[in-house]
Amino acid sequence: MNIFQISTLQALALGYSRAVVTVKELLANGDIGLGTFEDVNGEMIVVDGECFRATEDGTVFKAEPDMGVPFASVAKAKADVDYEIGAIGDIDKLKEELTLKIEEGFGLNSMHIARIDGEFRQIRARSESAHRSRHVDLKDILAKTQRDFAFDDISGTLVRIYYPDYMDGINAPGWHVHFISEDRSKGGHVFDMDMIRGRIRLTKINRIEIQLPTEPAFDTYSLKEASGSDIKKVEQGR
């Protein structure tokens, strides 16, 4: 299985938020995944071959095919593991559950995509509005544009992507998770949740293709200067 990634998290963290591909081009390479849009204009959720944008208040709209994508990861859904699960009270316990599953399958050095369809007492998430900038760190952009919100008593889908530790910088090591409601009206980047029950479908990925930006401006970024601690704070959602 192949995962298709646009740019690197280091570049996004340092403020490279220009379009690299369009939504249409992205969807030609995968039907499940996550990312963001040009100028960090909301959180991206790709599910069932469709791309959605969560705005700064958690409202979701279907993304237009010509919208620009500076950073994303998508793959073709193919469940290697498929099972039902009961209540899980917070995001860390769900992370432990998924990590145990990939460890059992000798997959800690591989990439994985998990789709969890479930019922939730609460989803706590965030998203952001567009901020056009060049060489402004992502953490500084989000400090201006990010908004937190919560959804209570809701059904929907969590999309989680796992990258191993040695790929730190290319993407965020560990699990990154976005949510979209069953009616496709609400969503965002998740930093906590309380699940009543769910169905987990887990796909192991053993190959990655990365499409880097082609414009000369990309080469003005010193990607090694991206702060690991800043990336971690952004990925944790707050």
Side-chain angles (χ1 to χ4, degrees):
M1 287 293 293
N2 181 72
I3 197 166
F4 180 68
Q5 178 169 304
I6 304 302
S7 192
T8 72
L9 186 57
Q10 293 163 320
L12 185 68
L14 291 175
Y16 190 91
S17 59
R18 303 184 188 192
V20 181
V21 299
T22 64
V23 164
K24 181 179 179 179
E25 292 167 332
L26 181 70
L27 292 180
N29 292 276
D31 54 25
I32 186 169
L34 45 80
T36 190
F37 298 92
E38 187 171 9
D39 297 325
V40 199
N41 188 16
E43 296 293 317
M44 175 192 292
I45 311 100
V46 176
V47 66
D48 294 328
E50 296 185 301
C51 183
F52 299 91
R53 181 175 70 91
T55 62
E56 69 271 18
D57 66 356
T59 303
V60 164
F61 299 94
K62 191 171 180 180
E64 296 296 328
D66 61 351
M67 288 190 72
V69 179
F71 178 75
S73 295
V74 295
K76 300 287 186 181
K78 174 188 166 296
D80 300 307
V81 178
D82 188 336
Y83 66 104
E84 305 286 334
I85 195 165
I88 296 183
D90 61 56
I91 197 119
D92 289 334
K93 289 184 175 63
L94 180 57
K95 174 184 174 182
E96 290 170 6
E97 165 68 24
L98 293 172
T99 302
L100 177 61
K101 282 295 180 184
I102 66 174
E103 187 175 14
E104 288 173 349
F106 299 99
L108 290 178
N109 284 332
S110 301
M111 294 153 288
H112 299 265
I113 287 186
R115 173 177 177 159
I116 302 126
D117 296 296
E119 300 172 37
F120 302 87
R121 290 187 182 87
Q122 188 178 72
I123 295 285
R124 297 179 64 202
R126 57 94 163 156
S127 192
E128 57 282 325
S129 55
H131 183 79
R132 186 176 295 276
S133 65
R134 299 293 177 261
H135 291 279
V136 178
D137 288 357
L138 180 60
K139 67 177 178 61
D140 296 327
I141 293 173
L142 293 182
K144 297 177 180 179
T145 65
Q146 178 177 299
R147 300 291 180 270
D148 296 352
F149 39 82
F151 309 126
D152 296 322
D153 301 318
I154 192 168
S155 296
T157 301
L158 296 173
V159 177
R160 301 196 67 149
I161 294 185
Y162 171 89
Y163 279 82
D165 289 345
Y166 66 85
M167 299 186 76
D168 187 8
I170 293 175
N171 211 302
W175 293 98
H176 182 152
V177 56
H178 289 187
F179 171 80
I180 188 166
S181 61
E182 188 174 38
D183 65 4
R184 307 299 190 244
S185 68
K186 302 177 180 67
H189 174 120
V190 179
F191 55 86
D192 208 354
M193 55 105 240
D194 183 354
M195 186 168 72
I196 300 168
R197 64 183 63 87
R199 177 186 178 189
I200 296 176
R201 283 171 278 188
L202 189 60
T203 302
K204 184 176 180 179
I205 309 291
N206 54 24
R207 185 171 60 189
I208 183 170
E209 178 183 351
I210 302 175
Q211 182 163 334
L212 296 176
T214 57
E215 65 170 357
F218 175 70
D219 293 304
T220 67
Y221 289 75
S222 181
L223 300 186
K224 284 188 176 181
E225 292 181 2
S227 166
S229 62
D230 287 345
I231 290 174
K232 186 176 180 180
K233 289 176 184 176
V234 168
E235 286 306 303
Q236 289 175 342
R238 310 196 81 170

